[in-house]
Coordinates of all heavy atoms in Angstrom, one line a residue:
P228 N -26.2 28.8 7.4 CA -26.9 28.4 6.2 C -28.4 28.6 6.3 O -29.0 28.4 7.4 CB -26.5 26.9 6.1 CG -26.2 26.5 7.4 CD -25.6 27.7 8.1
G229 N -29.0 28.9 5.2 CA -30.4 29.1 5.1 C -31.2 27.9 5.5 O -32.3 28.0 6.1
S230 N -30.7 26.7 5.2 CA -31.4 25.5 5.5 C -31.6 25.3 7.0 O -32.7 24.9 7.5 CB -30.7 24.3 5.0 OG -29.4 24.2 5.4
L231 N -30.6 25.7 7.8 CA -30.7 25.6 9.3 C -31.7 26.6 9.8 O -32.5 26.4 10.7 CB -29.3 25.8 9.9 CG -29.3 25.7 11.4 CD1 -29.7 24.3 11.9 CD2 -27.9 26.0 12.0
V232 N -31.6 27.8 9.2 CA -32.5 28.9 9.6 C -34.0 28.5 9.4 O -34.9 28.7 10.2 CB -32.2 30.2 8.9 CG1 -33.2 31.3 9.3 CG2 -30.8 30.7 9.3
A233 N -34.2 27.8 8.2 CA -35.5 27.4 7.8 C -36.0 26.4 8.8 O -37.2 26.4 9.2 CB -35.5 26.8 6.4
L234 N -35.2 25.4 9.2 CA -35.6 24.4 10.2 C -36.0 25.1 11.5 O -37.0 24.7 12.2 CB -34.5 23.4 10.4 CG -34.2 22.4 9.3 CD1 -33.2 21.3 9.8 CD2 -35.4 21.8 8.8
I235 N -35.1 26.0 12.0 CA -35.4 26.6 13.3 C -36.7 27.5 13.2 O -37.6 27.3 14.1 CB -34.2 27.5 13.7 CG1 -33.0 26.7 14.0 CG2 -34.5 28.4 14.9 CD1 -31.7 27.5 14.2
V236 N -36.8 28.3 12.2 CA -38.0 29.1 12.1 C -39.3 28.3 12.0 O -40.3 28.6 12.7 CB -37.9 30.1 10.9 CG1 -39.2 30.8 10.6 CG2 -36.8 31.1 11.1
T237 N -39.3 27.3 11.1 CA -40.5 26.5 10.9 C -40.9 25.7 12.1 O -42.0 25.5 12.5 CB -40.4 25.6 9.7 OG1 -39.2 24.8 9.7 CG2 -40.4 26.4 8.4
T238 N -39.8 25.2 12.8 CA -40.1 24.4 14.0 C -40.7 25.3 15.1 O -41.6 24.9 15.8 CB -38.7 23.8 14.6 OG1 -38.2 22.9 13.6 CG2 -39.0 23.0 15.8
L239 N -40.2 26.5 15.2 CA -40.8 27.5 16.2 C -42.2 27.8 15.9 O -43.1 27.9 16.7 CB -39.9 28.7 16.3 CG -38.6 28.6 16.9 CD1 -37.8 29.9 16.8 CD2 -38.7 28.2 18.4
I240 N -42.5 28.0 14.6 CA -43.9 28.3 14.1 C -44.8 27.2 14.5 O -45.9 27.4 15.1 CB -43.9 28.6 12.6 CG1 -43.2 29.9 12.3 CG2 -45.3 28.6 12.1 CD1 -43.0 30.1 10.8
V241 N -44.4 26.0 14.2 CA -45.2 24.8 14.5 C -45.5 24.7 16.0 O -46.6 24.4 16.5 CB -44.6 23.5 13.9 CG1 -45.3 22.3 14.4 CG2 -44.6 23.6 12.4
Q242 N -44.4 24.8 16.8 CA -44.5 24.6 18.3 C -45.3 25.7 19.0 O -46.1 25.5 19.9 CB -43.1 24.5 18.9 CG -42.3 23.3 18.5 CD -43.1 22.0 18.7 OE1 -43.6 21.7 19.8 NE2 -43.2 21.2 17.7
I243 N -45.1 27.0 18.5 CA -45.8 28.1 19.1 C -47.3 28.1 18.7 O -48.1 28.4 19.6 CB -45.1 29.5 18.8 CG1 -43.7 29.5 19.4 CG2 -45.9 30.7 19.2 CD1 -42.9 30.7 18.9
S244 N -47.5 27.9 17.5 CA -48.9 28.0 17.0 C -49.7 26.7 17.3 O -51.0 26.7 17.4 CB -49.0 28.2 15.5 OG -48.4 27.0 14.8
G245 N -49.0 25.6 17.5 CA -49.7 24.3 17.8 C -50.4 23.7 16.7 O -51.3 22.9 16.9
I246 N -50.1 24.1 15.5 CA -50.8 23.5 14.3 C -50.4 22.1 14.1 O -49.3 21.6 14.5 CB -50.5 24.4 13.0 CG1 -49.0 24.4 12.7 CG2 -51.1 25.7 13.1 CD1 -48.6 25.1 11.4
D247 N -51.3 21.3 13.5 CA -51.1 19.9 13.3 C -50.3 19.6 12.1 O -50.9 19.6 11.0 CB -52.5 19.2 13.3 CG -52.4 17.7 13.1 OD1 -51.3 17.2 13.5 OD2 -53.3 17.0 12.7
V248 N -49.0 19.5 12.2 CA -48.1 19.2 11.1 C -47.3 18.0 11.5 O -46.8 17.9 12.6 CB -47.3 20.4 10.8 CG1 -46.2 20.1 9.8 CG2 -48.1 21.6 10.3
M249 N -47.1 17.1 10.5 CA -46.2 15.9 10.7 C -44.8 16.3 11.0 O -44.2 17.1 10.3 CB -46.3 15.0 9.5 CG -45.5 13.7 9.7 SD -46.3 12.5 10.8 CE -47.6 11.9 9.7
T250 N -44.2 15.8 12.1 CA -42.8 16.1 12.5 C -42.0 14.8 12.5 O -42.5 13.7 12.4 CB -42.7 16.8 13.9 OG1 -43.2 15.9 14.8 CG2 -43.6 18.1 13.9
I251 N -40.7 15.0 12.7 CA -39.8 13.8 12.8 C -40.3 12.9 14.0 O -40.3 11.7 13.9 CB -38.3 14.2 13.0 CG1 -37.8 14.9 11.7 CG2 -37.5 13.0 13.4 CD1 -36.4 15.4 11.8
G252 N -40.6 13.6 15.1 CA -41.0 12.8 16.3 C -42.3 12.0 16.1 O -42.4 10.9 16.5
S253 N -43.3 12.6 15.3 CA -44.5 11.9 15.1 C -44.4 10.8 14.2 O -45.2 9.8 14.1 CB -45.6 12.9 14.6 OG -45.2 13.5 13.4

Side-chain angles (χ1 to χ4, degrees):
S230 56
L231 182 62
V232 176
L234 289 190
I235 294 172
V236 170
T237 54
T238 300
L239 288 174
I240 291 173
V241 170
Q242 294 306 309
I243 293 171
S244 66
I246 58 178
D247 181 23
V248 171
M249 183 74 76
T250 63
I251 290 178
S253 59

